[in-house]
Amino acid sequence: MPPIRDAVVVGAGPNGLTAAVELARRGMSVELFEAHASVGGGASTEELTLPGFRHDTCSAVHPTGAGSPAFRDMPLAEHGLEWLHPPLPLANPFPDGSSAVLAHSVAETAASLGPRDAGTYRRLVAPFLDRWDELAADFLGFGSALNGRLPQSPLLLARFGLQGLRPVSWLNHRFRDEQARALFGGLAGHVIAPLGSLATAAPALVFALAAHAYGWPVPRGGSQAISDALAGYFRALGGTVHTGTEVKRLDELPPARAYIFDTSPTALARIAGLGDAYARYRYGGSVFKIDYALDGPVPWTSEDARRAGTVHVGPTAGAMDRALRDASVEGRAPERPFLITAQPSLVDSTRAPEGKHVFWAYGHVPNGWEGDLTDAVERQLERFAPGFRDRVLARATAGPPQLAARNANYVGGDIACGSAAGLQLMIRPKLARVPYATAHPAVYLCSSATPPGPGVHGMAGHHAARAAWRRLRSR
Ligand SMILES: Cc1cc2nc3c(=O)[nH]c(=O)nc-3n(C[C@H](O)[C@H](O)[C@H](O)COP(=O)(O)OP(=O)(O)OC[C@H]3O[C@@H](n4cnc5c(N)ncnc54)[C@H](O)[C@@H]3O)c2cc1C
C-alpha cells in the first residue's frame, strides 16, 4: 500500500502553488499535479514569438501580487522573486497626447485628473491610504471571514463596501472631467462587465489603492518568476511536483486525506463526481490577446504612456463601456476595443534582446468567439502610438479557443475562470459558509473561481488550504 499523503493539490497556478505551500509549511506531506510541462498556469512566461523574447502568456503586472498578504508572508525573494517598478503604474492616454495617470503618489495622480477632480480623488482614497495591509487582510482575505475569522478592521471594510458594492459609473458621477472617469472606468474594466454593473467600483478602488501602497510591479524575468519562487519554496519544504499530468478522475490520484483543486468548478464536478453542483456557475467574456516582439519601445504620443508599466487605451469611460458591453452582453466583438496593454521590458532588460521590447495587449471579446481581432487592436494602437505597426518584428495571437487550450481553467476563454461581474465577484462558486469546501468531505476548490476571485495573489489558495487544514486538524 502506498503511504497516505496529507494532501494532494491539482493544478500549479498561483492558487494551487500557494495552497501546497501553506499545507507543507504546516508540516504536512503534499504532492502537486500539473497538466502542463511546467508550473505557473496564469503566471507563466514563454518565448511565444522569436528567440530571446520572453512573453507573459497571461498575467504581466501584479497590483494585488506585491501587496498580497499570502505572498508577503513567504520568503519568495530567497527563491528568486524580485519586483521591478515602472516609473508609473498606469497611464490612460487621450488622442491629444495628454493622459490621466495612476502614480505611486496620490499627489501626482490627483494632479493628472485636472483641478476640478483632484480634490475629489484625494477625498475618495484618503480613508484607505496607509491602511492597505488592513484592507487587504479583509478584502483579499474575504475568505477568512468565511473560514471563521472575523474581519480585522470591520469599520474600514464597511466603509470600503459602501463605495465598492456600487457600479463604477455611480462613482464616476462624482467626477466632473473625463480624465478621472476614464481612469476609474479602465480600472473597473478589468472585470469584463459594463461600467454600470454592481460592485465594479470595488476592483477599481482596490487597484488604485494598490498603486499607492505597493505599486504595480512586474517580476524580473516575467510572471513565471512568481510561480518558480512558489514552487522552489514548496520543494524546499519537502513537497513534490509532478508536471505533465492532467488529472481526469479522483481515483487516479494517490491516496490522501485532502484533495485541493486549482481547477474550474465545472472540471472539479466532473473529476470528483459532484454531479451538477456548480451548474449555475456563470462563465463570462473573454479576450483576444496579442504578444508582440518589437524593434523598439511603443511610440506612444503621450509621454506618460512611455513611462507606464500598464497603458489603458479607451480612451474615454463611454468608449470603454461600449466595448465591454459589446463583448460581455451583446455577444459581439467591439469595433473599437478597449485595450489593456503591458510593457514589462521598460524595466526588465532580461525580457528581450538589447534595444528590443516585448509588449502585450488585449481587447475584450465574447466567450468562445472565434474571430481575429488583430486589425481592430492595431488600428486602436495606431491612434495613440502612430508608427506602432512599423516596430512589429513578430506577433503571437490568442483568442478564446487558444486561451482555453492553454489552460483548462479558461472555460470558453474566460480569463477570470467564471464571470466576476456583479455578486459573483464575491459569491463564488456559490453561496456557502465555506466556499472552498465541496459536498465531498475530502475535496476542496482553491482556484480563482473562489473568493477573492481573479488575479495573481494566491489568496484563494491560502484560504482553501486553511479550510482543509482546520478540518484535518479537527479529526
Ligand atoms: C491574458 C490574461 C492576462 C492576465 N493578466 C493578469 C495580470 O496582469 N495580473 C494579474 O494579477 N492577473 C492577470 N490575469 C489573471 C490571472 O492570471 C489569474 O487570475 C490567475 O492565474 C488565477 O490563478 P489560479 O491559480 O486560480 O489558476 P490558473 O493560474 O489558471 O492555474 C490553474 C492551473 O491548473 C492546471 N490544471 C487545470 N486543470 C487541471 C487538471 N485537470 N489536471 C492538472 N492540472 C490542471 C492548469 O494547467 C493551470 O496550470 C490574467 C489572465 C489572463 C488569461
Side-chain angles (χ1 to χ4, degrees), residues 104-106 125-136 152-153 156 208-214:
H104 189 58
S105 114
V106 175
V125 296
F128 312 109
L129 285 179
D130 302 324
R131 299 189 71 181
W132 169 266
D133 289 331
E134 289 165 73
L135 191 65
Q152 268 184 29
S153 310
L156 184 72
L209 295 169
H212 301 318
Y214 290 102

mmCIF file with all atom_site columns, all heavy atoms in Angstrom, residues 104-106 125-136 152-153 156 208-214:
data_model
loop_
_atom_site.group_PDB
_atom_site.id
_atom_site.type_symbol
_atom_site.label_atom_id
_atom_site.label_alt_id
_atom_site.label_comp_id
_atom_site.label_asym_id
_atom_site.label_entity_id
_atom_site.label_seq_id
_atom_site.pdbx_PDB_ins_code
_atom_site.Cartn_x
_atom_site.Cartn_y
_atom_site.Cartn_z
_atom_site.occupancy
_atom_site.B_iso_or_equiv
_atom_site.pdbx_formal_charge
_atom_site.auth_seq_id
_atom_site.auth_comp_id
_atom_site.auth_asym_id
_atom_site.auth_atom_id
_atom_site.pdbx_PDB_model_num
ATOM 1   N N   . HIS A 1 104 ? 2.417   56.247 -8.109 1.00 0.00 ? 104 HIS A N   1
ATOM 2   C CA  . HIS A 1 104 ? 2.619   55.782 -6.744 1.00 0.00 ? 104 HIS A CA  1
ATOM 3   C C   . HIS A 1 104 ? 2.148   56.881 -5.785 1.00 0.00 ? 104 HIS A C   1
ATOM 4   O O   . HIS A 1 104 ? 1.526   56.601 -4.761 1.00 0.00 ? 104 HIS A O   1
ATOM 5   C CB  . HIS A 1 104 ? 4.103   55.448 -6.541 1.00 0.00 ? 104 HIS A CB  1
ATOM 6   C CG  . HIS A 1 104 ? 4.361   54.771 -5.246 1.00 0.00 ? 104 HIS A CG  1
ATOM 7   N ND1 . HIS A 1 104 ? 3.761   53.577 -4.886 1.00 0.00 ? 104 HIS A ND1 1
ATOM 8   C CD2 . HIS A 1 104 ? 5.135   55.111 -4.197 1.00 0.00 ? 104 HIS A CD2 1
ATOM 9   C CE1 . HIS A 1 104 ? 4.151   53.221 -3.688 1.00 0.00 ? 104 HIS A CE1 1
ATOM 10  N NE2 . HIS A 1 104 ? 4.985   54.131 -3.240 1.00 0.00 ? 104 HIS A NE2 1
ATOM 11  N N   . SER A 1 105 ? 2.386   58.130 -6.142 1.00 0.00 ? 105 SER A N   1
ATOM 12  C CA  . SER A 1 105 ? 1.989   59.235 -5.260 1.00 0.00 ? 105 SER A CA  1
ATOM 13  C C   . SER A 1 105 ? 0.556   59.692 -5.559 1.00 0.00 ? 105 SER A C   1
ATOM 14  O O   . SER A 1 105 ? 0.143   59.806 -6.720 1.00 0.00 ? 105 SER A O   1
ATOM 15  C CB  . SER A 1 105 ? 2.990   60.390 -5.427 1.00 0.00 ? 105 SER A CB  1
ATOM 16  O OG  . SER A 1 105 ? 2.382   61.511 -5.994 1.00 0.00 ? 105 SER A OG  1
ATOM 17  N N   . VAL A 1 106 ? -0.175  59.952 -4.481 1.00 0.00 ? 106 VAL A N   1
ATOM 18  C CA  . VAL A 1 106 ? -1.552  60.441 -4.639 1.00 0.00 ? 106 VAL A CA  1
ATOM 19  C C   . VAL A 1 106 ? -1.531  61.815 -5.306 1.00 0.00 ? 106 VAL A C   1
ATOM 20  O O   . VAL A 1 106 ? -2.364  62.120 -6.160 1.00 0.00 ? 106 VAL A O   1
ATOM 21  C CB  . VAL A 1 106 ? -2.251  60.523 -3.256 1.00 0.00 ? 106 VAL A CB  1
ATOM 22  C CG1 . VAL A 1 106 ? -3.638  61.133 -3.385 1.00 0.00 ? 106 VAL A CG1 1
ATOM 23  C CG2 . VAL A 1 106 ? -2.350  59.139 -2.629 1.00 0.00 ? 106 VAL A CG2 1
ATOM 24  N N   . VAL A 1 125 ? -9.824  58.468 -1.777 1.00 0.00 ? 125 VAL A N   1
ATOM 25  C CA  . VAL A 1 125 ? -8.845  57.463 -1.332 1.00 0.00 ? 125 VAL A CA  1
ATOM 26  C C   . VAL A 1 125 ? -8.356  57.698 0.108  1.00 0.00 ? 125 VAL A C   1
ATOM 27  O O   . VAL A 1 125 ? -7.849  56.773 0.752  1.00 0.00 ? 125 VAL A O   1
ATOM 28  C CB  . VAL A 1 125 ? -7.621  57.365 -2.286 1.00 0.00 ? 125 VAL A CB  1
ATOM 29  C CG1 . VAL A 1 125 ? -8.060  56.883 -3.653 1.00 0.00 ? 125 VAL A CG1 1
ATOM 30  C CG2 . VAL A 1 125 ? -6.852  58.680 -2.392 1.00 0.00 ? 125 VAL A CG2 1
ATOM 31  N N   . ALA A 1 126 ? -8.570  58.938 0.623  1.00 0.00 ? 126 ALA A N   1
ATOM 32  C CA  . ALA A 1 126 ? -7.987  59.298 1.932  1.00 0.00 ? 126 ALA A CA  1
ATOM 33  C C   . ALA A 1 126 ? -8.284  58.298 3.060  1.00 0.00 ? 126 ALA A C   1
ATOM 34  O O   . ALA A 1 126 ? -7.372  57.918 3.791  1.00 0.00 ? 126 ALA A O   1
ATOM 35  C CB  . ALA A 1 126 ? -8.434  60.705 2.330  1.00 0.00 ? 126 ALA A CB  1
ATOM 36  N N   . PRO A 1 127 ? -9.540  57.818 3.214  1.00 0.00 ? 127 PRO A N   1
ATOM 37  C CA  . PRO A 1 127 ? -9.800  56.948 4.366  1.00 0.00 ? 127 PRO A CA  1
ATOM 38  C C   . PRO A 1 127 ? -9.014  55.634 4.332  1.00 0.00 ? 127 PRO A C   1
ATOM 39  O O   . PRO A 1 127 ? -8.870  54.974 5.361  1.00 0.00 ? 127 PRO A O   1
ATOM 40  C CB  . PRO A 1 127 ? -11.299 56.649 4.262  1.00 0.00 ? 127 PRO A CB  1
ATOM 41  C CG  . PRO A 1 127 ? -11.855 57.607 3.281  1.00 0.00 ? 127 PRO A CG  1
ATOM 42  C CD  . PRO A 1 127 ? -10.739 58.057 2.409  1.00 0.00 ? 127 PRO A CD  1
ATOM 43  N N   . PHE A 1 128 ? -8.529  55.277 3.142  1.00 0.00 ? 128 PHE A N   1
ATOM 44  C CA  . PHE A 1 128 ? -7.912  53.947 2.998  1.00 0.00 ? 128 PHE A CA  1
ATOM 45  C C   . PHE A 1 128 ? -6.396  54.000 2.849  1.00 0.00 ? 128 PHE A C   1
ATOM 46  O O   . PHE A 1 128 ? -5.733  52.969 2.862  1.00 0.00 ? 128 PHE A O   1
ATOM 47  C CB  . PHE A 1 128 ? -8.513  53.225 1.777  1.00 0.00 ? 128 PHE A CB  1
ATOM 48  C CG  . PHE A 1 128 ? -10.013 53.282 1.749  1.00 0.00 ? 128 PHE A CG  1
ATOM 49  C CD1 . PHE A 1 128 ? -10.688 54.060 0.827  1.00 0.00 ? 128 PHE A CD1 1
ATOM 50  C CD2 . PHE A 1 128 ? -10.754 52.569 2.685  1.00 0.00 ? 128 PHE A CD2 1
ATOM 51  C CE1 . PHE A 1 128 ? -12.069 54.130 0.810  1.00 0.00 ? 128 PHE A CE1 1
ATOM 52  C CE2 . PHE A 1 128 ? -12.139 52.624 2.695  1.00 0.00 ? 128 PHE A CE2 1
ATOM 53  C CZ  . PHE A 1 128 ? -12.803 53.407 1.755  1.00 0.00 ? 128 PHE A CZ  1
ATOM 54  N N   . LEU A 1 129 ? -5.865  55.226 2.697  1.00 0.00 ? 129 LEU A N   1
ATOM 55  C CA  . LEU A 1 129 ? -4.414  55.353 2.479  1.00 0.00 ? 129 LEU A CA  1
ATOM 56  C C   . LEU A 1 129 ? -3.681  54.872 3.717  1.00 0.00 ? 129 LEU A C   1
ATOM 57  O O   . LEU A 1 129 ? -4.145  55.067 4.834  1.00 0.00 ? 129 LEU A O   1
ATOM 58  C CB  . LEU A 1 129 ? -4.054  56.807 2.199  1.00 0.00 ? 129 LEU A CB  1
ATOM 59  C CG  . LEU A 1 129 ? -4.422  57.324 0.814  1.00 0.00 ? 129 LEU A CG  1
ATOM 60  C CD1 . LEU A 1 129 ? -4.025  58.781 0.696  1.00 0.00 ? 129 LEU A CD1 1
ATOM 61  C CD2 . LEU A 1 129 ? -3.776  56.499 -0.284 1.00 0.00 ? 129 LEU A CD2 1
ATOM 62  N N   . ASP A 1 130 ? -2.527  54.298 3.522  1.00 0.00 ? 130 ASP A N   1
ATOM 63  C CA  . ASP A 1 130 ? -1.702  53.752 4.606  1.00 0.00 ? 130 ASP A CA  1
ATOM 64  C C   . ASP A 1 130 ? -2.415  52.641 5.372  1.00 0.00 ? 130 ASP A C   1
ATOM 65  O O   . ASP A 1 130 ? -1.995  52.267 6.459  1.00 0.00 ? 130 ASP A O   1
ATOM 66  C CB  . ASP A 1 130 ? -1.276  54.849 5.599  1.00 0.00 ? 130 ASP A CB  1
ATOM 67  C CG  . ASP A 1 130 ? -0.512  55.951 4.893  1.00 0.00 ? 130 ASP A CG  1
ATOM 68  O OD1 . ASP A 1 130 ? 0.243   55.617 3.957  1.00 0.00 ? 130 ASP A OD1 1
ATOM 69  O OD2 . ASP A 1 130 ? -0.700  57.121 5.232  1.00 0.00 ? 130 ASP A OD2 1
ATOM 70  N N   . ARG A 1 131 ? -3.528  52.148 4.848  1.00 0.00 ? 131 ARG A N   1
ATOM 71  C CA  . ARG A 1 131 ? -4.233  51.069 5.553  1.00 0.00 ? 131 ARG A CA  1
ATOM 72  C C   . ARG A 1 131 ? -4.426  49.866 4.625  1.00 0.00 ? 131 ARG A C   1
ATOM 73  O O   . ARG A 1 131 ? -5.329  49.062 4.813  1.00 0.00 ? 131 ARG A O   1
ATOM 74  C CB  . ARG A 1 131 ? -5.569  51.584 6.087  1.00 0.00 ? 131 ARG A CB  1
ATOM 75  C CG  . ARG A 1 131 ? -5.359  52.723 7.080  1.00 0.00 ? 131 ARG A CG  1
ATOM 76  C CD  . ARG A 1 131 ? -6.615  53.119 7.786  1.00 0.00 ? 131 ARG A CD  1
ATOM 77  N NE  . ARG A 1 131 ? -7.050  52.115 8.750  1.00 0.00 ? 131 ARG A NE  1
ATOM 78  C CZ  . ARG A 1 131 ? -8.153  52.226 9.493  1.00 0.00 ? 131 ARG A CZ  1
ATOM 79  N NH1 . ARG A 1 131 ? -8.899  53.293 9.398  1.00 0.00 ? 131 ARG A NH1 1
ATOM 80  N NH2 . ARG A 1 131 ? -8.504  51.274 10.340 1.00 0.00 ? 131 ARG A NH2 1
ATOM 81  N N   . TRP A 1 132 ? -3.565  49.791 3.560  1.00 0.00 ? 132 TRP A N   1
ATOM 82  C CA  . TRP A 1 132 ? -3.681  48.687 2.601  1.00 0.00 ? 132 TRP A CA  1
ATOM 83  C C   . TRP A 1 132 ? -3.611  47.339 3.310  1.00 0.00 ? 132 TRP A C   1
ATOM 84  O O   . TRP A 1 132 ? -4.396  46.430 3.023  1.00 0.00 ? 132 TRP A O   1
ATOM 85  C CB  . TRP A 1 132 ? -2.592  48.749 1.534  1.00 0.00 ? 132 TRP A CB  1
ATOM 86  C CG  . TRP A 1 132 ? -2.532  47.495 0.709  1.00 0.00 ? 132 TRP A CG  1
ATOM 87  C CD1 . TRP A 1 132 ? -1.732  46.405 0.925  1.00 0.00 ? 132 TRP A CD1 1
ATOM 88  C CD2 . TRP A 1 132 ? -3.355  47.158 -0.419 1.00 0.00 ? 132 TRP A CD2 1
ATOM 89  N NE1 . TRP A 1 132 ? -2.002  45.417 -0.007 1.00 0.00 ? 132 TRP A NE1 1
ATOM 90  C CE2 . TRP A 1 132 ? -2.992  45.856 -0.841 1.00 0.00 ? 132 TRP A CE2 1
ATOM 91  C CE3 . TRP A 1 132 ? -4.363  47.821 -1.123 1.00 0.00 ? 132 TRP A CE3 1
ATOM 92  C CZ2 . TRP A 1 132 ? -3.591  45.203 -1.926 1.00 0.00 ? 132 TRP A CZ2 1
ATOM 93  C CZ3 . TRP A 1 132 ? -4.962  47.170 -2.207 1.00 0.00 ? 132 TRP A CZ3 1
ATOM 94  C CH2 . TRP A 1 132 ? -4.565  45.887 -2.594 1.00 0.00 ? 132 TRP A CH2 1
ATOM 95  N N   . ASP A 1 133 ? -2.664  47.181 4.255  1.00 0.00 ? 133 ASP A N   1
ATOM 96  C CA  . ASP A 1 133 ? -2.483  45.865 4.865  1.00 0.00 ? 133 ASP A CA  1
ATOM 97  C C   . ASP A 1 133 ? -3.760  45.419 5.589  1.00 0.00 ? 133 ASP A C   1
ATOM 98  O O   . ASP A 1 133 ? -4.153  44.262 5.494  1.00 0.00 ? 133 ASP A O   1
ATOM 99  C CB  . ASP A 1 133 ? -1.276  45.865 5.812  1.00 0.00 ? 133 ASP A CB  1
ATOM 100 C CG  . ASP A 1 133 ? 0.033   45.959 5.023  1.00 0.00 ? 133 ASP A CG  1
ATOM 101 O OD1 . ASP A 1 133 ? 0.058   45.491 3.867  1.00 0.00 ? 133 ASP A OD1 1
ATOM 102 O OD2 . ASP A 1 133 ? 1.003   46.525 5.540  1.00 0.00 ? 133 ASP A OD2 1
ATOM 103 N N   . GLU A 1 134 ? -4.414  46.360 6.279  1.00 0.00 ? 134 GLU A N   1
ATOM 104 C CA  . GLU A 1 134 ? -5.673  46.003 6.955  1.00 0.00 ? 134 GLU A CA  1
ATOM 105 C C   . GLU A 1 134 ? -6.767  45.685 5.931  1.00 0.00 ? 134 GLU A C   1
ATOM 106 O O   . GLU A 1 134 ? -7.490  44.704 6.067  1.00 0.00 ? 134 GLU A O   1
ATOM 107 C CB  . GLU A 1 134 ? -6.179  47.175 7.803  1.00 0.00 ? 134 GLU A CB  1
ATOM 108 C CG  . GLU A 1 134 ? -5.383  47.471 9.046  1.00 0.00 ? 134 GLU A CG  1
ATOM 109 C CD  . GLU A 1 134 ? -5.770  48.842 9.560  1.00 0.00 ? 134 GLU A CD  1
ATOM 110 O OE1 . GLU A 1 134 ? -6.879  49.008 10.105 1.00 0.00 ? 134 GLU A OE1 1
ATOM 111 O OE2 . GLU A 1 134 ? -4.962  49.783 9.388  1.00 0.00 ? 134 GLU A OE2 1
ATOM 112 N N   . LEU A 1 135 ? -6.837  46.560 4.909  1.00 0.00 ? 135 LEU A N   1
ATOM 113 C CA  . LEU A 1 135 ? -7.891  46.378 3.911  1.00 0.00 ? 135 LEU A CA  1
ATOM 114 C C   . LEU A 1 135 ? -7.679  45.074 3.140  1.00 0.00 ? 135 LEU A C   1
ATOM 115 O O   . LEU A 1 135 ? -8.619  44.308 2.912  1.00 0.00 ? 135 LEU A O   1
ATOM 116 C CB  . LEU A 1 135 ? -7.892  47.571 2.942  1.00 0.00 ? 135 LEU A CB  1
ATOM 117 C CG  . LEU A 1 135 ? -9.083  47.658 2.011  1.00 0.00 ? 135 LEU A CG  1
ATOM 118 C CD1 . LEU A 1 135 ? -10.362 47.894 2.802  1.00 0.00 ? 135 LEU A CD1 1
ATOM 119 C CD2 . LEU A 1 135 ? -8.892  48.786 1.010  1.00 0.00 ? 135 LEU A CD2 1
ATOM 120 N N   . ALA A 1 136 ? -6.414  44.806 2.767  1.00 0.00 ? 136 ALA A N   1
ATOM 121 C CA  . ALA A 1 136 ? -6.118  43.574 2.013  1.00 0.00 ? 136 ALA A CA  1
ATOM 122 C C   . ALA A 1 136 ? -6.420  42.352 2.867  1.00 0.00 ? 136 ALA A C   1
ATOM 123 O O   . ALA A 1 136 ? -6.940  41.352 2.377  1.00 0.00 ? 136 ALA A O   1
ATOM 124 C CB  . ALA A 1 136 ? -4.663  43.568 1.555  1.00 0.00 ? 136 ALA A CB  1
ATOM 125 N N   . GLN A 1 152 ? -10.480 42.058 10.454 1.00 0.00 ? 152 GLN A N   1
ATOM 126 C CA  . GLN A 1 152 ? -9.550  42.789 11.341 1.00 0.00 ? 152 GLN A CA  1
ATOM 127 C C   . GLN A 1 152 ? -10.042 44.197 11.615 1.00 0.00 ? 152 GLN A C   1
ATOM 128 O O   . GLN A 1 152 ? -9.927  44.711 12.708 1.00 0.00 ? 152 GLN A O   1
ATOM 129 C CB  . GLN A 1 152 ? -8.195  42.932 10.639 1.00 0.00 ? 152 GLN A CB  1
ATOM 130 C CG  . GLN A 1 152 ? -7.233  41.836 10.934 1.00 0.00 ? 152 GLN A CG  1
ATOM 131 C CD  . GLN A 1 152 ? -5.898  42.156 10.267 1.00 0.00 ? 152 GLN A CD  1
ATOM 132 O OE1 . GLN A 1 152 ? -5.528  43.309 10.066 1.00 0.00 ? 152 GLN A OE1 1
ATOM 133 N NE2 . GLN A 1 152 ? -5.166  41.111 9.925  1.00 0.00 ? 152 GLN A NE2 1
ATOM 134 N N   . SER A 1 153 ? -10.546 44.848 10.550 1.00 0.00 ? 153 SER A N   1
ATOM 135 C CA  . SER A 1 153 ? -10.966 46.246 10.656 1.00 0.00 ? 153 SER A CA  1
ATOM 136 C C   . SER A 1 153 ? -12.368 46.380 10.082 1.00 0.00 ? 153 SER A C   1
ATOM 137 O O   . SER A 1 153 ? -12.550 46.852 8.959  1.00 0.00 ? 153 SER A O   1
ATOM 138 C CB  . SER A 1 153 ? -9.998  47.139 9.866  1.00 0.00 ? 153 SER A CB  1
ATOM 139 O OG  . SER A 1 153 ? -8.677  46.844 10.210 1.00 0.00 ? 153 SER A OG  1
ATOM 140 N N   . LEU A 1 156 ? -13.467 49.821 8.668  1.00 0.00 ? 156 LEU A N   1
ATOM 141 C CA  . LEU A 1 156 ? -12.790 50.161 7.412  1.00 0.00 ? 156 LEU A CA  1
ATOM 142 C C   . LEU A 1 156 ? -13.412 49.362 6.264  1.00 0.00 ? 156 LEU A C   1
ATOM 143 O O   . LEU A 1 156 ? -13.688 49.896 5.184  1.00 0.00 ? 156 LEU A O   1
ATOM 144 C CB  . LEU A 1 156 ? -11.289 49.833 7.542  1.00 0.00 ? 156 LEU A CB  1
ATOM 145 C CG  . LEU A 1 156 ? -10.419 50.223 6.359  1.00 0.00 ? 156 LEU A CG  1
ATOM 146 C CD1 . LEU A 1 156 ? -10.238 51.736 6.294  1.00 0.00 ? 156 LEU A CD1 1
ATOM 147 C CD2 . LEU A 1 156 ? -9.039  49.548 6.455  1.00 0.00 ? 156 LEU A CD2 1
ATOM 148 N N   . ALA A 1 208 ? -6.533  51.136 -7.487 1.00 0.00 ? 208 ALA A N   1
ATOM 149 C CA  . ALA A 1 208 ? -5.970  52.471 -7.221 1.00 0.00 ? 208 ALA A CA  1
ATOM 150 C C   . ALA A 1 208 ? -5.188  52.452 -5.908 1.00 0.00 ? 208 ALA A C   1
ATOM 151 O O   . ALA A 1 208 ? -4.059  52.946 -5.834 1.00 0.00 ? 208 ALA A O   1
ATOM 152 C CB  . ALA A 1 208 ? -7.086  53.506 -7.171 1.00 0.00 ? 208 ALA A CB  1
ATOM 153 N N   . LEU A 1 209 ? -5.775  51.854 -4.872 1.00 0.00 ? 209 LEU A N   1
ATOM 154 C CA  . LEU A 1 209 ? -5.099  51.843 -3.559 1.00 0.00 ? 209 LEU A CA  1
ATOM 155 C C   . LEU A 1 209 ? -3.832  51.004 -3.605 1.00 0.00 ? 209 LEU A C   1
ATOM 156 O O   . LEU A 1 209 ? -2.834  51.325 -2.956 1.00 0.00 ? 209 LEU A O   1
ATOM 157 C CB  . LEU A 1 209 ? -6.066  51.312 -2.493 1.00 0.00 ? 209 LEU A CB  1
ATOM 158 C CG  . LEU A 1 209 ? -7.279  52.219 -2.250 1.00 0.00 ? 209 LEU A CG  1
ATOM 159 C CD1 . LEU A 1 209 ? -8.327  51.506 -1.400 1.00 0.00 ? 209 LEU A CD1 1
ATOM 160 C CD2 . LEU A 1 209 ? -6.855  53.530 -1.591 1.00 0.00 ? 209 LEU A CD2 1
ATOM 161 N N   . ALA A 1 210 ? -3.862  49.923 -4.391 1.00 0.00 ? 210 ALA A N   1
ATOM 162 C CA  . ALA A 1 210 ? -2.664  49.069 -4.507 1.00 0.00 ? 210 ALA A CA  1
ATOM 163 C C   . ALA A 1 210 ? -1.500  49.870 -5.092 1.00 0.00 ? 210 ALA A C   1
ATOM 164 O O   . ALA A 1 210 ? -0.349  49.720 -4.665 1.00 0.00 ? 210 ALA A O   1
ATOM 165 C CB  . ALA A 1 210 ? -2.964  47.856 -5.388 1.00 0.00 ? 210 ALA A CB  1
ATOM 166 N N   . ALA A 1 211 ? -1.812  50.755 -6.051 1.00 0.00 ? 211 ALA A N   1
ATOM 167 C CA  . ALA A 1 211 ? -0.735  51.564 -6.661 1.00 0.00 ? 211 ALA A CA  1
ATOM 168 C C   . ALA A 1 211 ? -0.090  52.460 -5.617 1.00 0.00 ? 211 ALA A C   1
ATOM 169 O O   . ALA A 1 211 ? 1.124   52.656 -5.619 1.00 0.00 ? 211 ALA A O   1
ATOM 170 C CB  . ALA A 1 211 ? -1.303  52.411 -7.803 1.00 0.00 ? 211 ALA A CB  1
ATOM 171 N N   . HIS A 1 212 ? -0.907  52.996 -4.706 1.00 0.00 ? 212 HIS A N   1
ATOM 172 C CA  . HIS A 1 212 ? -0.357  53.900 -3.681 1.00 0.00 ? 212 HIS A CA  1
ATOM 173 C C   . HIS A 1 212 ? 0.341   53.132 -2.558 1.00 0.00 ? 212 HIS A C   1
ATOM 174 O O   . HIS A 1 212 ? 1.152   53.696 -1.831 1.00 0.00 ? 212 HIS A O   1
ATOM 175 C CB  . HIS A 1 212 ? -1.471  54.775 -3.099 1.00 0.00 ? 212 HIS A CB  1
ATOM 176 C CG  . HIS A 1 212 ? -2.164  55.618 -4.127 1.00 0.00 ? 212 HIS A CG  1
ATOM 177 N ND1 . HIS A 1 212 ? -1.470  56.285 -5.122 1.00 0.00 ? 212 HIS A ND1 1
ATOM 178 C CD2 . HIS A 1 212 ? -3.479  55.892 -4.341 1.00 0.00 ? 212 HIS A CD2 1
ATOM 179 C CE1 . HIS A 1 212 ? -2.342  56.936 -5.893 1.00 0.00 ? 212 HIS A CE1 1
ATOM 180 N NE2 . HIS A 1 212 ? -3.558  56.704 -5.443 1.00 0.00 ? 212 HIS A NE2 1
ATOM 181 N N   . ALA A 1 213 ? 0.018   51.852 -2.405 1.00 0.00 ? 213 ALA A N   1
ATOM 182 C CA  . ALA A 1 213 ? 0.616   51.070 -1.306 1.00 0.00 ? 213 ALA A CA  1
ATOM 183 C C   . ALA A 1 213 ? 1.884   50.339 -1.766 1.00 0.00 ? 213 ALA A C   1
ATOM 184 O O   . ALA A 1 213 ? 2.985   50.642 -1.309 1.00 0.00 ? 213 ALA A O   1
ATOM 185 C CB  . ALA A 1 213 ? -0.410  50.073 -0.772 1.00 0.00 ? 213 ALA A CB  1
ATOM 186 N N   . TYR A 1 214 ? 1.749   49.405 -2.676 1.00 0.00 ? 214 TYR A N   1
ATOM 187 C CA  . TYR A 1 214 ? 2.896   48.573 -3.088 1.00 0.00 ? 214 TYR A CA  1
ATOM 188 C C   . TYR A 1 214 ? 3.238   48.705 -4.562 1.00 0.00 ? 214 TYR A C   1
ATOM 189 O O   . TYR A 1 214 ? 4.123   48.024 -5.059 1.00 0.00 ? 214 TYR A O   1
ATOM 190 C CB  . TYR A 1 214 ? 2.627   47.098 -2.765 1.00 0.00 ? 214 TYR A CB  1
ATOM 191 C CG  . TYR A 1 214 ? 2.640   46.810 -1.283 1.00 0.00 ? 214 TYR A CG  1
ATOM 192 C CD1 . TYR A 1 214 ? 1.454   46.649 -0.577 1.00 0.00 ? 214 TYR A CD1 1
ATOM 193 C CD2 . TYR A 1 214 ? 3.846   46.718 -0.584 1.00 0.00 ? 214 TYR A CD2 1
ATOM 194 C CE1 . TYR A 1 214 ? 1.470   46.391 0.794  1.00 0.00 ? 214 TYR A CE1 1
ATOM 195 C CE2 . TYR A 1 214 ? 3.865   46.465 0.781  1.00 0.00 ? 214 TYR A CE2 1
ATOM 196 C CZ  . TYR A 1 214 ? 2.679   46.312 1.462  1.00 0.00 ? 214 TYR A CZ  1
ATOM 197 O OH  . TYR A 1 214 ? 2.705   46.060 2.810  1.00 0.00 ? 214 TYR A OH  1
#
